[in-house]
Amino acid sequence: MTLLARAGLFLVLLGLWEAVGRASNPLLAVPPSAVLPALRDLLLLRSYPDLPANVLLTVREIAMAYALAVVAGLACGFALGFNRLIGRAWGPMIAALYAVPAVVWYPSLMLFFGLDAASKIAFGFLLGFFPVTLAVLAGIRQVNPHLVTVARAYGAGPLTVFGRVMVPAMLFTLVGGLRTALALAVVGVIVGEILGSKRGMGALINHAYGLLRTADYVALVLVTLALVVGSDVVASLAERRALKWSE
Amino acid sequence: MTAPDRLIAVERVTKRYATSSGPVEALHDVSLTVGEGEFCTLIGPSGCGKSTLLGMLGGLVHPDSGRVLVDARPVTGPDPRRVATVFQDPGLFPWRTVLENVEFGLELGGSAAARRRAIATELLPPLGLKGFAEKYPRELSGGMKQRVAIGRALAIDTKILLMDEPFGALDEQTRVLMGEWLLDIWRRTRKTVIFVTHSLHEALFLSTRIAVMTARPGRIKSVLDLPLDYPRSMESPELVALRAKLWGEIREESLRAMQ
Ligand SMILES: Nc1ncnc2c1ncn2[C@@H]1O[C@H](COP(=O)(O)OP(=O)(O)OP(=O)(O)O)[C@@H](O)[C@H]1O
Ligand SMILES: [Mg+2]
């Protein structure tokens, strides 16, 4: 039922888009009838033969940025969370930094890391790092101290308490943070590529857009969208698995 | 070896908690000995330090002065090989099923998966949890949660069992049945039980000794021995007399606690 309703709404929107596209300047408002052939050409590697290499590069940058963000975010979050003194001094700072629109850092990242993959990874990392750290900090605060006491009574040492009580108790918040971080790492890398790069999906998008190849541009955006949605689907599957008990 | 009548010895223990409104003295100069195989009940007004005292026996709370001995050795920390605790707040792990919660202590003790599963599965029916093995705590009633916590403590089969108001969340009828069930386990296993309750009936029905505590700061006001056979009848003249005596002692302290 909802599926049918969604499909219906989708078709209505497509129709509207088509009508508006035809009525106005087709170069700016590309109608779906123009996008479809462009998408076909794109996927058959006619318009951009180097699409696979660029997709691969973007995916690799995202994976790298995300992995770094997770590792650093977890380390930083636990270090701040377990060390009350440092945590009190730095916790609010992290939250404040997170509130700064991250794009302001990008020019300096490009200066520092150059125009290639490194600066994109750094930007994706920067966006992904904060939600992981903040999720760890929030998660630690959520652990019910009584459960730690119970575990200690049953013989748990610090490591066991960490693995059997803290991590599962934090999981809900932690997984939410990890998922947000993935989405943001994807945004960071692609925005980085659009703002200045010769390769990667963002660079292709920029190219098509710059040459006013609007239909190609939309097709590229659709492929990117598929990438983003795909990563979020994987993340949500992992999330559901991890949180089986709370359903 | 310990003298069997001094399996547990609390010697002149005092405990103060630091709170935002200054120190609170929870226990003041408390001494108590419990012999092997006894069923010793602590009873006293709310806030008199019963949970604190159990915490000390379990190695989770450290006395400011005095000492606590189990098996003639000073308690320095939790020792799940000898002492199992049922807490006042059941404290189940919400991400573990009923069965996994019952298995928790065995798992930490390193027993094999098949073995701990067998032990835990066997415990569920007498706890009235048959058919709930795969449920998660949030699907259980308060009383059922408390029974899972009892199962978790029984599973590690220790010599000493500390129970902090384990039947507090149960309705009166279930409470009586659980009391009978516990009595049965205790008589079969000869465990030493330290039991906290607010119910005179429960205390009289189960205990070999009852320690009455004073209002805060908690002290041992008096210790009653109950050399009576089981199962007990509340109508027996001895128990009626003991009940009157116990009520007198507790009434006084409850009145003081409320002032
Ligand atoms: N961690 C703590 N920090 C500060 N004060 C505490 C702490 N634990 C207990 N207290 C105080 O110590 C006193 C004794 O508490 P305890 O929990 O041992 O009482 P209790 O006899 O078990 O009460 P109840 O019958 O209500 O369970 C209370 O006044 C309580 O407020
Ligand atoms: Mg208590």
Side-chain angles (χ1 to χ4, degrees):
Chain A
M1 188 54 227
T2 50
L3 210 69
L4 251 165
R6 273 187 214 172
L9 186 66
F10 185 63
L11 284 177
V12 168
L13 284 177
L14 270 186
L16 261 174
W17 180 9
E18 184 73 38
V20 172
R22 288 194 184 185
S24 59
N25 184 347
L27 202 62
L28 297 178
V30 218
S33 56
V35 171
L36 274 179
L39 188 60
R40 189 197 57 216
D41 285 349
L42 180 67
L43 293 179
L44 293 176
L45 307 184
R46 283 189 202 136
S47 46
Y48 285 95
D50 52 353
L51 177 73
N54 284 291
V55 170
L56 200 68
L57 176 72
T58 300
V59 168
R60 286 219 318 251
E61 287 169 352
I62 290 170
M64 195 69 182
Y66 184 56
L68 289 173
V70 170
V71 170
L74 289 179
C76 190
F78 279 114
L80 292 181
F82 282 142
N83 193 322
R84 289 230 179 104
L85 212 64
I86 308 181
R88 243 182 243 143
W90 285 91
M93 288 275 286
I94 299 254
L97 276 177
Y98 186 39
V100 177
V103 191
V104 305
W105 309 116
Y106 191 59
S108 54
L109 288 181
M110 281 207 288
L111 281 178
F112 206 80
F113 291 103
L115 288 177
D116 287 336
S119 60
K120 281 78 205 166
I121 293 172
F123 194 48
F125 163 82
L126 195 67
L127 289 192
F129 168 78
F130 289 102
V132 176
T133 309
L134 292 174
V136 173
L137 287 174
I140 288 178
R141 265 180 268 126
Q142 272 169 3
V143 177
N144 175 355
H146 181 52
L147 295 185
V148 174
T149 307
V150 172
R152 289 215 302 125
Y154 282 89
L159 264 181
T160 312
V161 166
F162 180 76
R164 303 287 173 97
V165 182
M166 309 246 344
V167 171
M170 295 171 60
L171 211 55
F172 201 87
T173 314
L174 202 56
V175 167
L178 289 175
R179 198 172 157 186
T180 310
L182 178 57
L184 285 181
V186 171
V187 169
V189 165
I190 291 173
V191 167
E193 286 175 350
I194 290 179
L195 289 181
S197 176
K198 297 251 171 299
R199 296 163 62 212
M201 284 310 287
L204 294 191
I205 288 174
N206 219 8
H207 178 261
Y209 170 75
L211 295 181
L212 281 186
R213 289 163 60 173
T214 333
D216 286 339
Y217 162 72
V218 174
L220 282 164
V221 168
L222 286 178
V223 170
T224 310
L225 207 63
L227 204 74
V228 174
V229 172
S231 75
D232 197 56
V233 165
V234 171
S236 76
L237 284 180
E239 180 172 13
R240 192 163 317 160
R241 229 191 122 93
L243 301 176
K244 206 175 54 167
W245 57 272
S246 65
E247 264 160 29
Chain B
M1 242 359 262
T2 347
D5 61 332
R6 283 177 62 86
L7 178 70
I8 293 169
V10 177
E11 296 177 347
R12 311 208 55 174
V13 158
T14 295
K15 177 71 192 178
R16 252 173 253 103
Y17 287 109
T19 68
S20 49
S21 54
V24 169
E25 191 165 39
L27 294 174
H28 180 83
D29 197 15
V30 168
S31 297
L32 178 73
T33 60
V34 180
E36 191 156 359
E38 277 204 79
F39 196 116
C40 178
T41 294
L42 301 176
I43 196 164
S46 184
C48 75
K50 303 179 295 293
S51 296
T52 302
L53 188 52
L54 278 203
M56 283 182 184
L57 296 176
L60 293 164
V61 177
H62 299 286
D64 293 325
S65 64
R67 52 181 200 158
V68 178
L69 304 169
V70 170
D71 256 346
R73 269 174 290 180
V75 173
T76 54
D79 182 359
R81 279 163 307 156
R82 288 187 294 175
V83 182
T85 306
V86 179
F87 293 87
Q88 189 169 0
D89 170 341
L92 301 184
F93 302 108
W95 52 87
R96 289 177 158 249
T97 62
V98 164
L99 202 63
E100 286 164 353
N101 266 288
V102 174
E103 284 179 31
F104 183 73
L106 295 164
E107 198 178 305
L108 260 52
S111 80
R115 192 180 130 71
R116 55 176 199 252
R117 182 121 309 194
I119 292 173
T121 307
E122 212 168 290
L123 274 166
L124 295 188
L127 286 163
L129 293 166
K130 203 174 160 190
F132 287 89
E134 302 304 325
K135 297 260 187 263
Y136 286 95
R138 67 182 168 75
E139 301 168 277
L140 308 179
S141 71
M144 290 166 93
K145 284 185 196 148
Q146 195 53 279
R147 281 179 270 157
V148 176
I150 295 174
R152 181 171 61 187
L154 288 175
I156 57 175
D157 195 21
T158 50
K159 195 151 109 178
I160 296 167
L161 186 58
L162 310 177
M163 305 182 90
D164 199 347
E165 298 185 39
F167 307 144
L170 302 182
D171 61 85
E172 185 67 32
Q173 300 80 282
T174 316
R175 196 172 174 138
V176 170
L177 290 178
M178 290 299 294
E180 286 171 5
W181 175 75
L182 179 63
L183 202 56
D184 185 54
I185 291 195
W186 169 67
R187 292 175 74 193
R188 275 191 293 117
T189 58
R190 308 307 307 166
K191 282 182 197 300
T192 305
V193 179
I194 316 278
F195 190 87
V196 173
T197 184
H198 286 292
S199 155
L200 297 195
H201 181 281
E202 208 164 71
L204 292 164
F205 191 70
L206 300 172
S207 325
T208 58
R209 325 174 70 187
I210 300 174
V212 180
M213 292 179 69
T214 65
R216 200 180 63 221
R219 265 173 293 227
I220 304 290
K221 181 183 171 80
S222 55
V223 177
L224 267 70
D225 280 301
L226 292 83
L228 307 173
D229 286 339
Y230 297 96
R232 292 173 179 170
S233 155
M234 278 300 146
E235 278 81 52
S236 78
E238 296 103 315
L239 224 54
V240 170
L242 278 166
R243 186 188 162 84
K245 190 170 168 202
L246 188 59
W247 173 234
E249 306 259 348
I250 291 171
R251 192 185 142 80
E252 211 176 292
E253 290 311 318
S254 301
L255 281 172
R256 270 189 44 204
M258 281 168 63
Q259 278 157 17

